[in-house]
Amino acid sequence: MTDLDRRPGELTLGELLRWTWRQLTSMRTALILLLLLALAAIPGSLIPQSDVDALKTSNWQADHPTLTPVYEKLGLFSVYDSPWFSAIYILLMISLVGCIIPRCLVYWRALRAQPPAAPRNLMRLPDHLDYPVDEPVDDVLARAAVVLKQRRYRVITAADAVSAEKGYLREAGNLLFHLSVIVVLVGFAVGSLFGYKGGVIVMVKGGFSNTLTQYDDFDAGSLFDPDRMEPFSFDVKGFDAEWLVSGPRAGMAHKFDSQLTYRETPDGPEHDYDLRVNHPLKIGGTEIFLIGHGYAPVFTIRDGDGNVTFQGPVVFLPVDQTFRSFGVVKAPYAKPTQIGLEGEFYPTYDYTRATGPFSAFGNALNPRVSLLAYVGDLGLETGEAQSVYSLRKDGLKLLKKPDGSMFRVDLGVGESVDLPDGAGSVSFDRVERWNKIQISRTPGTGTALTGVCLALLGLLGSLFIRPRRVWLRARRSDGSTIVELAGLDRSGGGDVGAELAAIRSAMQTAGADTELEEIS
Amino acid sequence: MTNQAWETLSNQAVGACGVVYFLALLAALAEWAIGVGARSRASAVNAGVKVGPGVESADVVLPETGSSAGPSDRALMLGRLTLLLTIIAVGVHAVALLGRGMAADPHRVPWGNMYEFTLSGTFVVAAFYLAGYARFKLAWMAPFVLLFVVTVLMVAVLWLYEPVSPLTEALNSYWLVIHVVSAVISTGAFTLGGLTSLFLLLKTRWPSATWLQRVPGPLDLDRIAYRMHAFGFPVWTFAVLITGPIWAHEAWSTYWNWDPKEVWAFITWVVYAAYLHARSTAGWRGRNAAILALVGLATLWFNFIGINYFSSTSQHSYAAPVEPAAHSVLVLGRT
């Protein structure tokens, strides 16, 4: 095929690829991609994200039945790993690499280059000045070379002029910044591919060992290998929190302190550790955080036959700052019918006609429970997964008093009550506490942190180092020497005028010094 | 002094510095008005006389200091008065912040909630203005900086006020000092830079408007704006991408949670990165770069105030009601 066969505007594959590459690596495209990235990040901050807050997301989805399928198709519930978000940052990275690698090569050559020769007419440059002196041309040039070298310029002297350049590190900083961005991304990717994060509620006086089955919720990267989980275990020996009883934050707890004893390996020695907020425990590459706490009332349930069918602490989840907590008790082995309880726990019970029962304080000063009782089929045999925090009520019957009025299991510590219809009895024995522990392993954190710090260093270089070229020419005219001084700022932001003035005064001071030396 | 006395002192100092800022604003406006009046008369004279060859470029007609007619003694006096009042107001403002920190038990840095963060933010804007006053010849900016500071202070006192209270647990970390101080500093620099960019746009649009005569030429504005953004950007990087993640890692086990506050901080970072690139890209320099700077500023302040009203997602919001508050307070400063 000859060139004549081609219609105007037609490109061969190679040309098309080259054109695409050039477009992609142009600064304009990079700018647009940056803005797109900013724009694309917005929806994720307005719509609840399933990997940030699963509960909130499912609530939102329940409230918006028409929007949900559309949003789901668009990946709006997990924006930050959606294909379109990834597309933008991958394109941005390609653009960045395509821009940086050629610039590294250029920079490598420029590093060893000499300052360019002085332009013929220095007075045409935007920043310039000239002044007469009495000395011969060579002395002026020699002194200029010394002065400029003192000011950390790279200097080369020609017959009638001195060329000088400095600020090579600006471009180095620029390149370092962009390369570090890639390092950060690699660190981030390693963390999200190989890392995991899990949460578990551990009873105070209870324990935990690091295997997958022990977690309440667990979220791992796609290349995570459960065999590489560190085999540590710990017991929560005790837990303290201080409650503020006065001041504007009254009712708030602080100084949480969970006393752990842990072993790094099953047969390793025991260590003690005070687990506090902002003070995680690190075992190998895994970190353990205290992120919450709450109450677990201990119940004893006897069934209709009078046998103890359930006994133990039940985790109630706090719903507000007063630790009013919600929970469910299930007694599937009760005879003749299964028993289920659902309701609230109040650490400091109080009651007004207007508000009904409420908790006046987060500390367990006057703990009470108020539960509704159900009998029937709890639905546990169906094999369907069921949350321990909710009751499936299709097979259950709400128990009422014989006169048909509402029946509630309202108990203080140590009290018990018989259920109507001879279904059994419930006693509230005492209150235990639990800690919510988060455990995570994020490899690549060090890489990401190093990358960010290097990026900052590069950024500082690229913003504050000023690349400059300065030329000085001396020529004889009417029995005196005219010194012409001109400069160019290659970053397009600095004031070269001030630099030239500084060089001039340095030249004159140096000149005065040598004259003094000659006289003495 | 008791905690109560410190708190009262702080409240009174906030009121006092608001009044002094307002007086400074009045002085600055008066100076501006006198200047504009004098200059429009002067340029009328100039236009009548047709002063020869020098009148080719806009820059010559509008010298940078705008002193074609030489500012009148009254304008000079008002200018000095504005500066003096601003210095006094910033001093009193500092007392207000100190009082806030001393009133808490135990003593702490005064940025535990939105009110305190706003107080600190406005302080930094005003203090930076004074710091750059001589170096960047910022006198022309006085009315706008003061207007901004007075307005935001008023918003803080009217809507954001909260009594002094101890920090929530997750906030109780020395990272609070490092992280928030860097965020506040960059917010101050970006705000001043954004104001300058706004005037760059106005000046480009109406190069010979009388009321803009005090404002320096576009080239100077561009350079001042760039300097401020170039200062703010690394500090913002440090706040958002280094100290923020380190603290998040210590407090909530993940260094980056895609929490709305983090997302918007990241968006701000990306927009300012775009601004810096735009300044060195043909076709984006000047006007477009200035627009980007303003977009960046909008995302910054939206993140600070606006996002609270759109989203309150927080990673620990159901299992542990003590911590979620911490998360929103931590980043939002809201309780």
Side-chain angles (χ1 to χ4, degrees):
Chain A
M1 189 159 76
T2 67
D3 281 353
L4 290 175
D5 298 332
R6 293 169 60 181
R7 279 169 291 162
E10 196 176 64
L11 298 174
T12 65
L13 183 64
E15 284 167 339
L16 183 70
L17 284 176
R18 200 176 316 140
W19 179 84
T20 316
W21 180 249
R22 249 190 230 138
Q23 288 297 312
L24 187 60
T25 56
S26 77
M27 185 71 116
R28 239 190 53 176
T29 313
L31 258 177
I32 291 169
L33 285 172
L34 267 177
L35 293 177
L36 268 180
L37 184 69
L39 209 61
I42 294 177
S45 71
L46 303 178
I47 300 164
Q49 298 293 294
S50 53
D51 38 1
V52 175
D53 189 340
L55 186 77
K56 188 161 175 169
T57 311
S58 54
N59 288 345
W60 193 96
Q61 287 171 337
D63 292 346
H64 301 80
T66 42
L67 278 178
T68 299
V70 182
Y71 278 23
E72 236 156 29
K73 275 221 173 76
L74 294 174
L76 288 177
F77 294 115
S78 72
V79 166
Y80 307 108
D81 38 21
S82 70
W84 48 272
F85 190 79
S86 317
I88 295 173
Y89 75 75
I90 289 172
L91 279 176
L92 194 61
M93 282 309 115
I94 295 175
S95 159
L96 193 155
V97 171
C99 183
I100 287 306
I101 289 177
R103 278 179 76 164
C104 284
L105 298 177
V106 170
Y107 180 63
W108 181 247
R109 283 195 293 272
L111 255 188
R112 289 168 305 169
Q114 294 298 329
R120 203 154 39 168
N121 194 343
L122 286 181
M123 297 299 107
R124 287 228 179 110
L125 288 169
D127 290 292
H128 60 82
L129 55 87
D130 57 350
Y131 59 96
V133 289
D134 293 331
E135 300 142 279
V137 168
D138 288 346
D139 288 8
V140 172
L141 291 184
R143 188 174 333 120
V146 173
V147 165
L148 286 167
K149 268 184 192 147
Q150 271 169 1
R151 298 178 73 85
R152 289 186 294 140
Y153 278 87
R154 182 179 293 182
V155 178
I156 156 169
T157 311
D160 66 335
V162 174
S163 313
E165 182 165 6
K166 77 166 174 185
Y168 291 87
L169 278 178
R170 179 195 184 86
E171 178 69 358
N174 193 5
L175 295 173
L176 176 65
F177 171 76
H178 286 92
L179 291 172
S180 308
V181 170
I182 298 173
V183 174
V184 174
L185 269 177
V186 169
F188 192 76
V190 167
S192 41
L193 287 175
F194 295 94
Y196 72 86
K197 176 166 106 173
V200 58
I201 286 179
V202 183
M203 298 301 304
V204 174
K205 311 279 183 217
F208 172 87
S209 62
N210 193 29
T211 51
L212 215 47
T213 50
Q214 294 244 326
Y215 284 90
D216 296 335
D217 56 87
F218 193 81
D219 181 24
S222 46
L223 297 178
F224 163 75
D225 175 9
D227 293 338
R228 299 189 56 187
M229 287 170 73
E230 274 140 325
F232 61 83
S233 60
F234 62 81
D235 293 321
V236 180
K237 292 286 181 205
F239 174 71
D240 299 317
E242 259 177 44
W243 295 89
L244 296 173
V245 289
S246 63
R249 287 274 165 83
M252 187 181 92
H254 68 161
K255 299 191 179 157
F256 307 106
D257 183 356
S258 186
Q259 294 106 35
L260 299 190
T261 52
Y262 68 95
R263 295 172 196 273
E264 302 202 3
T265 50
D267 42 5
E270 264 195 356
H271 305 280
D272 290 321
Y273 191 82
D274 282 330
L275 191 64
R276 299 192 298 268
V277 177
N278 276 324
H279 189 60
L281 164 64
K282 199 167 162 116
I283 299 177
T286 310
E287 282 166 300
I288 296 158
F289 301 81
L290 173 64
I291 63 165
H293 66 113
Y295 295 101
V298 180
F299 294 102
T300 305
I301 299 180
R302 288 172 195 277
D303 63 12
D305 298 348
N307 300 318
V308 172
T309 178
F310 177 92
Q311 183 166 41
V314 181
V315 170
F316 274 49
L317 296 181
V319 291
D320 62 24
Q321 291 273 354
T322 66
F323 278 76
R324 181 165 66 89
S325 308
F326 179 84
V328 158
V329 191
K330 297 176 187 180
Y333 305 112
K335 301 272 165 30
T337 58
Q338 299 179 345
I339 300 171
L341 305 173
E342 178 191 83
E344 291 185 327
F345 166 81
Y346 311 97
T348 301
Y349 177 84
D350 208 342
Y351 179 89
T352 63
R353 196 172 277 271
T355 56
F358 67 97
S359 173
F361 194 49
N363 199 3
L365 300 178
N366 175 27
R368 272 189 93 83
V369 291
S370 176
L371 309 162
L372 292 174
Y374 297 84
V375 290
D377 180 12
L378 291 168
L380 291 172
E381 287 93 33
T382 57
E384 253 177 76
Q386 210 186 84
S387 163
V388 293
Y389 301 114
S390 70
L391 219 49
R392 240 182 69 158
K393 300 197 185 108
D394 349 334
L396 292 176
K397 181 173 106 17
L398 180 64
L399 285 178
K400 291 185 175 161
K401 287 186 188 162
D403 59 4
S405 66
M406 192 68 134
F407 171 76
R408 301 191 74 94
V409 179
D410 283 326
L411 297 175
V413 173
E415 297 174 351
S416 51
V417 67
D418 286 333
L419 298 174
D421 304 349
S425 70
V426 178
S427 26
F428 175 22
D429 305 332
R430 61 180 191 280
V431 180
E432 291 192 355
R433 308 187 76 162
W434 51 261
N435 285 166
K436 168 112 187 187
I437 307 280
Q438 182 132 305
I439 298 170
S440 72
R441 183 184 158 91
T442 322
T445 307
T447 313
L449 183 62
T450 314
V452 177
C453 292
L454 286 178
L456 185 64
L457 193 72
L459 188 64
L460 290 174
S462 78
L463 286 174
F464 299 120
I465 295 175
R466 301 247 175 81
R468 280 186 181 135
R469 282 178 183 163
V470 169
W471 295 279
L472 182 142
R473 175 174 282 130
R475 58 184 167 80
R476 295 298 290 180
S477 160
D478 296 341
S480 69
T481 303
I482 306 291
V483 180
E484 296 174 347
L485 191 57
L488 207 58
D489 182 298
R490 302 181 65 212
S491 65
D495 19 45
V496 185
E499 172 76 3
L500 293 183
I503 293 173
R504 176 190 172 164
S505 74
M507 289 281 292
Q508 282 163 341
T509 326
D513 289 349
T514 39
E515 267 164 37
L516 277 177
E517 277 166 27
E518 278 160 16
I519 291 165
S520 60
Chain B
M1 268 169 91
T2 64
N3 292 343
Q4 193 57 48
W6 278 113
E7 186 171 357
T8 314
L9 174 73
S10 170
N11 291 346
Q12 285 167 347
V14 170
C17 79
V19 170
V20 182
Y21 276 128
F22 183 66
L23 291 177
L25 173 63
L26 287 183
L29 285 175
E31 186 206 356
W32 190 282
I34 291 174
V36 167
R39 249 167 263 123
S40 55
R41 277 194 302 281
S43 56
V45 173
N46 278 348
V49 180
K50 287 229 170 180
V51 248
V55 209
E56 288 158 13
S57 71
D59 277 313
V60 181
V61 182
L62 309 168
E64 280 166 23
T65 45
S67 59
S68 58
S72 70
D73 286 350
R74 262 168 65 209
L76 279 177
M77 197 271 287
L78 281 169
R80 280 196 291 266
L81 182 65
T82 310
L83 181 62
L84 181 69
L85 286 172
T86 313
I87 293 173
I88 294 173
V90 169
V92 180
H93 203 153
V95 172
L97 282 176
L98 181 76
R100 243 356 241 197
M102 298 297 282
D105 185 27
H107 300 329
R108 60 175 165 86
V109 285
W111 39 79
N113 54 42
M114 279 273 272
Y115 172 72
E116 292 171 4
F117 191 95
T118 315
L119 224 54
S120 313
T122 44
F123 173 76
V124 168
V125 170
F128 273 20
Y129 165 74
L130 288 182
Y133 185 86
R135 184 151 176 224
F136 299 117
K137 302 192 179 64
L138 292 184
W140 62 271
M141 219 191 222
F144 308 97
V145 173
L146 291 167
L147 188 67
F148 175 84
V149 170
V150 168
T151 314
V152 176
L153 265 185
M154 219 157 90
V155 169
V157 171
L158 289 180
W159 290 310
L160 303 175
Y161 181 78
E162 274 182 49
V164 176
S165 51
L167 293 176
T168 44
E169 188 79 359
L171 277 175
N172 200 354
S173 160
Y174 56 86
W175 287 107
L176 174 72
V177 184
I178 305 171
H179 176 64
V180 181
V181 84
S182 47
V184 171
I185 286 176
S186 46
T187 302
F190 283 147
T191 303
L192 286 183
L195 262 180
T196 318
S197 292
L198 177 69
F199 277 92
L200 173 58
L201 284 180
L202 294 175
K203 193 78 183 183
T204 327
R205 179 73 186 75
W206 295 287
S208 48
T210 320
W211 65 281
L212 286 174
Q213 279 186 16
R214 275 203 76 192
V215 178
L219 283 179
D220 287 311
L221 285 176
D222 187 51
R223 202 171 59 222
I224 297 172
Y226 173 72
R227 291 266 182 90
M228 287 172 177
H229 286 118
F231 173 77
F233 189 70
V235 183
W236 184 249
T237 309
F238 180 69
V240 165
L241 300 180
I242 297 183
T243 60
I246 291 178
W247 189 11
H249 183 77
E250 300 245 310
W252 318 303
S253 85
T254 328
Y255 60 85
W256 193 262
N257 298 305
W258 293 111
D259 174 274
K261 210 69 176 177
E262 293 173 1
V263 172
W264 278 90
F266 173 70
I267 291 173
T268 305
W269 188 83
V270 168
V271 174
Y272 278 117
Y275 164 81
L276 291 178
H277 282 99
R279 262 195 97 259
S280 57
T281 308
W284 285 73
R285 231 165 257 144
R287 191 168 150 268
N288 285 1
I291 291 174
L292 279 180
L294 288 179
V295 172
L297 189 63
T299 61
L300 180 72
W301 281 92
F302 175 74
N303 191 17
F304 175 48
I305 297 175
I307 189 72
N308 300 12
Y309 300 102
F310 284 91
S311 171
S312 55
T313 317
S314 152
Q315 63 164 1
H316 320 303
S317 55
Y318 57 100
V322 174
E323 290 315 299
H327 199 187
S328 46
V329 171
L330 182 71
V331 214
L332 316 186
R334 194 177 65 162
T335 40

